[in-house]
Amino acid sequence: MARRVVVVGAGFHGCSAALRLSNQGYEVTVIDKAYAGRHASGVNAGGVRRLGRHPAEIPLAIAAWERWQDMTSIVGDDCGFRPVGQIKVAENDNDMAILNERERQVQNLGFHHEKLINRDELRKRLPALAGHCPGGLACDGDGFANPYRTVTAWRREAERQGACFREGIEITGIEPKEMAGA
Ligand SMILES: Cc1cc2nc3c(=O)[nH]c(=O)nc-3n(C[C@H](O)[C@H](O)[C@H](O)COP(=O)(O)OP(=O)(O)OC[C@H]3O[C@@H](n4cnc5c(N)ncnc54)[C@H](O)[C@@H]3O)c2cc1C
């Protein structure tokens, strides 16, 4: 008999857990007090970013970014991912020194996804930017996705794998119980 799991919350984490657990043969029910993607997962800036991550997060951010390259093979939808790049902009020489140090730190750790760009390159990439900005730190290949579409795609794939979604139900407490044979 399949083991049963209840996931509380149909944000991105709940949908992702539901998909993984369903793939592993669990019988999954996801419960949300509103609806899938109603809260933070569906209404954020949609950033898909390795740029500026804490050093401890960089390997995970790179692994996630690699999966974004072929999201369609995971959930049947590219989730609106557009790798247009991301840039941290320096507003003055002090900011530029901080970005310079950041690039050095990341490279010393063996990563090469963040690159310092000068004033001319910054202007070329962002022509509308104020003229006083001396440069920036760019991460080509980063970009954005459509967050609500992302949650929906993961939810749909979890459903295809057998997960059941129940919306409009609030969990108000959890009561631990001994299970026979557990
Ligand atoms: C494509 C994508 C891009 C992103 N880009 C950015 C970005 O650029 N910047 C940024 O800051 N963040 C970004 N994020 C992260 C996002 O802002 C959230 O931090 C993240 O998605 C949180 O997910 P979650 O599932 O933990 O929480 P939530 O999305 O908040 O989901 C929690 C769910 O639990 C439900 N719930 C809560 N309590 C109960 C209860 N008692 N009973 C039943 N249901 C309950 C809620 O209704 C909600 O639907 C991104 C996320 C995605 C998917």
Side-chain angles (χ1 to χ4, degrees), residues 25-167:
Y26 289 88
E27 189 183 311
V28 180
T29 302
V30 185
I31 295 176
D32 199 289
K33 66 179 177 182
Y35 55 86
R38 165 65 180 82
H39 288 282
S41 299
V43 287
N44 54 70
V48 175
R49 173 177 66 84
R50 294 160 296 164
L51 178 66
R53 294 285 179 192
H54 185 282
E57 279 186 314
I58 293 174
L60 188 60
I62 290 174
W65 177 83
E66 284 169 356
R67 300 187 73 197
W68 274 102
Q69 307 311 306
D70 193 14
M71 192 55 83
T72 306
S73 72
I74 302 172
V75 290
D77 187 321
D78 72 3
C79 301
F81 175 51
R82 299 291 175 267
V84 294
Q86 292 207 12
I87 302 174
K88 259 183 197 257
V89 174
E91 283 211 77
N92 51 47
D93 290 344
N94 189 42
D95 286 353
M96 204 59 196
I98 292 170
L99 295 183
N100 203 346
E101 172 56 21
R102 163 74 187 185
E103 185 199 44
R104 195 192 60 75
Q105 184 194 25
V106 168
Q107 300 226 349
N108 282 345
L109 290 168
F111 301 109
H112 303 280
H113 54 286
E114 297 185 8
K115 297 220 163 31
L116 214 58
I117 55 173
N118 64 21
R119 186 186 298 272
D120 291 344
E121 182 62 21
L122 182 64
R123 197 76 53 244
K124 207 174 350 167
R125 294 181 183 215
L126 301 173
L129 203 65
H132 67 270
C133 298
L137 192 62
C139 190
D140 295 333
D142 277 5
F144 65 88
N146 178 324
Y148 189 71
R149 185 169 149 189
T150 303
V151 182
T152 304
W154 280 74
R155 178 238 175 104
R156 295 280 179 242
E157 186 57 27
E159 286 179 319
R160 280 192 286 274
Q161 302 300 325
C164 167
F165 281 69
R166 306 275 310 274
E167 296 170 309

